[in-house]
Amino acid sequence: MTELADAPVAAPSTDLDHITHWIGGARVPGSSGRQGPVFNPSTGVQSGVVDLASVDEVDAAVRSAKAAFRTWRSVPLGRRAELFFSIRQLVHAHREDIARLLVAEHGKVLSDAMGEVARGLEVIEYACGLPTLLKGGFSEQASSGIDVYSIRQPLGVVAGITPFNFPAMVPMWMWAPALACGNCFVLKPSEKDPSSSLFVAELLKQAGLPDGVFTVVQGDKVAVDALLEHPDVSAVSFVGSTPIARYIYENGTKRGKRVQALGGAKNHMVVLPDADVEMAADAAVSAAYGSAGERCMAVSVVVAVGGVGDDLVPAIQKRLPDVKVGDGLDPASEMGPLVTREHRDKVAGYLDSGASQGATVVADGRSTVPEGDGFFLGVSLLDNVTPEMDAYRDEIFGPVLSVVRVDTYEEALRLVNDNPYGNGTAIFTRDGGVARQFQFDVNAGMVGINVPIPVPVAYYSFGGWKASLFGDSHAYGPESIHFYTRGKVVTSRWPDPATSKVDLGFPQTR
Ligand code: NAD
């Protein structure tokens, strides 16, 4: 979570990229006088300044979106779908350009960034089916001469507030279904890695999206609060940390907005004694350290059941020296830096707190960082972690994997279910009966069976339980179509003067 009220102000410089807003189909430089720094995490060097919107600038952005709505919602479904096919083509053609922007500002390695864009593209592809997705129902002869049908209509101007860790994909989770449903969308990206949003805005314009339908306001808490308070914003989608998700949900719904707010996570991977230990170790290393652990679906805790830890921890440890940590543009790198220096230092602090609270530090990533000023932390492993320790209680969001050892499946299940978060979880076993029981019993929104990162495909919906999601709707997939539209039911009769009469009774169907 960032404290944005005190966002540092960087003096504009000709050497730095100037990252502006996107309003009315054009780059619009900020006028608030406030800017924030953007860094290349691999070098630790500031690469840009991002404008931070004022309340008035957010108002101008929302007004521009509102003005575009009337025309956009009237665009025939076939034309909208055609436009989405063009968007899909352009994003696909420029996927590496987008990925390189992600590497430059987030730090993740290029292959991982390409994966991010690919998963976002799947959501765009899903949205291409919008004529089918928006079909309503029809009941002929619900009563004599009366037909009843349901339609779904867009909400108007909807906003999306997104986190730093998926600067392209998470916005795609939101804008693709929101626009497909006929809304105008105002995006407030993370101020840590804002450039890809502007690039995508250019692509949407190039595809033929009318001006004002997609808007980007760069900013911090000021912009977020302005969106939450704006009377013309009908709905807010948020993805980020749990305290801010709760804040967004409470403050958005208080003002009558529809809100879905996805929060943080602490994902457990339960490994049973009958699991294939080598496969479980591969999965744990991949899921814990991919994207330097900065994924809301990263495995943060391995729960080793009934002695399997004695084989599993050495198997994980054996793999760690092979994980190549380095600049995301180096094809040899498998794991990049963390997003900021402060975040890296905070994550590294869990190695000290873990040691002082009784965990065994199997691997300390501070000793395996590349040279230079990049925000690197190597892969780190804590064994014998217990639920009272900070490393277990907090969402670390970095390359520190904890192993908790328990005696039984029931104990493992209790641990997962007692955790305040409920985003993803996984079980590794060869026993189909136990796996099915886990799927039945576990309190989490996304479950993997021998799959460590069970991010649903685009035609299902993504979301957690408990403190990982506030609101009723999950992201993308069918639930997003529901979230970004409201239902209307029409009861219709064509006048037949021959049967018309005055009847003050309550309408009945039989
Ligand atoms: P964050 O909560 O700090 O920021 C998210 C967004 O909220 C940003 O746009 C930011 O500008 C804004 N924001 C930050 N502080 C604010 C404040 N005080 N008031 C109003 N707005 C504020 O999250 P982050 O650090 O960018 O992202 C990492 C977090 O996101 C992790 O907790 C991770 O688990 C979570 N996340 C969750 C999912 C999910 O699907 N559940 C997906 C990705 C990331």
Side-chain angles (χ1 to χ4, degrees):
M1 178 182 42
T2 45
E3 284 303 329
L4 293 164
D6 309 322
V9 176
S13 150
T14 46
D15 299 337
L16 299 174
D17 287 343
H18 178 198
I19 303 148
T20 67
H21 311 299
W22 178 271
I23 301 173
R27 287 180 190 246
V28 175
S31 55
S32 70
R34 293 192 313 129
Q35 293 182 313
V38 176
F39 289 89
N40 180 335
S42 284
T43 60
V45 172
Q46 186 178 348
S47 58
V49 285
V50 59
D51 292 332
L52 302 175
S54 64
V55 174
D56 287 345
E57 288 170 294
V58 171
D59 182 51
V62 174
R63 275 190 284 116
S64 151
K66 189 180 177 190
F69 176 60
R70 185 179 288 271
T71 317
W72 177 239
R73 70 165 294 200
S74 304
V75 171
L77 297 183
R79 168 67 193 129
R80 240 191 264 164
E82 186 181 37
L83 217 147
F84 256 84
F85 277 101
S86 305
I87 292 172
R88 189 267 168 202
Q89 277 311 102
L90 275 169
V91 172
H92 186 265
H94 290 278
R95 60 196 185 285
E96 188 167 336
D97 300 324
I98 300 171
R100 285 180 180 276
L101 288 173
L102 305 184
V103 176
E105 294 181 351
H106 174 280
K108 60 180 71 180
V109 300
L110 186 61
S111 55
D112 190 33
M114 292 293 283
E116 167 174 352
V117 181
R119 291 305 298 262
L121 266 166
E122 289 175 14
V123 178
I124 297 174
E125 287 161 4
Y126 177 78
C128 289
L130 66 96
T132 312
L133 296 170
L134 290 171
K135 273 169 80 170
F138 192 99
S139 300
E140 186 186 50
Q141 196 70 352
S143 185
S144 293
I146 292 187
D147 300 328
V148 179
Y149 51 96
S150 63
I151 48 186
R152 297 208 68 90
Q153 297 189 329
L155 305 176
V157 178
V158 300
I161 300 158
T162 53
F164 78 83
N165 67 322
F166 285 109
M169 181 186 76
V170 168
M172 288 173 190
W173 287 1
M174 299 175 183
W175 63 253
L179 298 185
C181 290
N183 301 285
C184 290
F185 188 83
V186 179
L187 173 64
K188 205 303 283 173
S190 169
E191 63 281 40
K192 296 191 179 105
D193 41 23
S195 289
S196 65
S197 294
L198 274 190
F199 186 82
V200 168
E202 303 263 13
L203 295 183
L204 296 185
K205 184 177 172 89
Q206 213 180 318
L209 194 74
D211 293 346
V213 174
F214 181 77
T215 297
V216 181
V217 277
Q218 310 288 2
D220 54 9
K221 181 171 169 52
V222 173
V224 171
D225 286 344
L227 287 168
L228 288 175
E229 284 165 23
H230 204 293
D232 290 327
V233 173
S234 303
V236 177
S237 299
F238 172 87
V239 175
S241 61
T242 287
I244 310 299
R246 185 180 281 115
Y247 173 83
I248 301 283
Y249 185 75
E250 289 175 355
N251 285 281
T253 52
K254 192 165 79 186
R255 295 181 174 86
K257 298 183 196 315
R258 192 177 282 196
V259 181
Q260 54 176 187
L262 283 69
K266 190 82 186 173
N267 305 309
H268 296 65
M269 172 175 157
V270 175
V271 183
L272 297 187
D274 71 340
D276 181 321
V277 167
E278 296 302 317
M279 185 180 154
D282 284 340
V285 171
S286 311
Y289 305 116
S291 203
E294 290 176 329
R295 290 183 184 141
C296 65
M297 290 291 277
V299 165
S300 177
V301 184
V302 164
V303 186
V305 180
V308 75
D310 293 345
D311 296 328
L312 184 60
V313 171
I316 294 173
Q317 186 182 13
K318 190 179 77 187
R319 286 159 169 77
L320 300 187
D322 295 337
V323 178
K324 304 275 182 313
V325 180
D327 188 312
L329 289 179
D330 179 345
S333 300
E334 294 171 292
M335 189 180 106
L338 282 90
V339 69
T340 59
R341 192 182 309 279
E342 298 71 32
H343 186 53
R344 190 268 316 273
D345 294 346
K346 182 171 177 232
V347 171
Y350 286 99
L351 295 166
D352 292 331
S353 71
S356 67
Q357 291 169 9
T360 311
V361 181
V362 180
D364 185 332
R366 289 172 294 196
S367 59
T368 55
V369 292
E371 284 181 8
D373 291 328
F375 310 143
F376 289 99
L377 176 67
V379 291
S380 304
L381 182 63
L382 296 175
D383 192 8
N384 300 307
V385 172
T386 56
E388 307 73 46
M389 296 178 188
D390 292 338
Y392 180 79
R393 292 161 66 94
D394 296 352
E395 179 187 32
I396 298 178
F397 221 56
V400 178
L401 176 63
S402 299
V403 178
V404 178
R405 296 177 182 235
V406 299
D407 293 330
T408 63
Y409 164 80
E410 287 74 23
E411 230 180 301
L413 179 69
R414 207 163 36 247
L415 191 68
V416 183
N417 284 352
D418 285 351
N419 195 278
Y421 297 106
N423 214 39
T425 187
I427 189 162
F428 277 68
T429 177
R430 289 192 175 96
D431 185 331
V434 178
R436 190 174 179 284
Q437 194 61 41
F438 184 74
Q439 159 205 310
F440 187 79
D441 288 330
V442 78
N443 292 335
M446 293 167 284
V447 180
I449 295 176
N450 298 310
V451 172
I453 307 186
V455 175
V457 290
Y459 39 97
Y460 286 78
S461 295
F462 179 108
W465 287 13
K466 302 188 277 182
S468 296
L469 184 131
F470 300 85
D472 302 324
S473 300
H474 290 193
Y476 67 77
E479 293 197 27
S480 67
I481 305 302
H482 200 267
F483 181 79
Y484 290 121
T485 56
R486 58 188 145 199
K488 189 179 271 181
V489 177
V490 181
T491 303
S492 130
R493 171 169 65 179
W494 290 100
D496 177 1
T499 59
S500 176
K501 64 176 184 212
V502 174
D503 181 354
L504 271 60
F506 194 65
Q508 297 188 27
T509 55
R510 294 169 211 193

Tab-separated table of all heavy atoms in Angstrom, residues 49 195 253 325 425:
chain	number	residue	atom	x	y	z
A	49	VAL	N	8.436	11.363	-15.279
A	49	VAL	CA	7.552	12.013	-14.302
A	49	VAL	C	6.129	11.818	-14.787
A	49	VAL	O	5.844	11.898	-15.981
A	49	VAL	CB	7.817	13.533	-14.149
A	49	VAL	CG1	9.077	13.794	-13.354
A	49	VAL	CG2	7.826	14.245	-15.480
A	195	SER	N	2.962	4.210	-17.919
A	195	SER	CA	3.122	4.476	-19.357
A	195	SER	C	2.310	3.562	-20.261
A	195	SER	O	1.825	3.992	-21.311
A	195	SER	CB	4.605	4.364	-19.751
A	195	SER	OG	5.306	5.453	-19.224
A	253	THR	N	-19.658	2.779	-2.317
A	253	THR	CA	-21.046	2.335	-2.095
A	253	THR	C	-21.818	3.379	-1.280
A	253	THR	O	-23.020	3.564	-1.486
A	253	THR	CB	-21.101	0.966	-1.384
A	253	THR	OG1	-20.287	1.038	-0.215
A	253	THR	CG2	-20.587	-0.140	-2.282
A	325	VAL	N	18.509	-13.971	-11.531
A	325	VAL	CA	17.937	-12.684	-11.154
A	325	VAL	C	18.685	-11.596	-11.922
A	325	VAL	O	19.927	-11.571	-11.924
A	325	VAL	CB	18.090	-12.456	-9.632
A	325	VAL	CG1	17.487	-11.110	-9.229
A	325	VAL	CG2	17.411	-13.590	-8.856
A	425	THR	N	-5.676	-20.618	-3.771
A	425	THR	CA	-5.013	-21.644	-2.984
A	425	THR	C	-4.813	-22.845	-3.897
A	425	THR	O	-5.433	-22.924	-4.958
A	425	THR	CB	-5.834	-22.034	-1.741
A	425	THR	OG1	-5.069	-22.918	-0.924
A	425	THR	CG2	-7.137	-22.722	-2.118
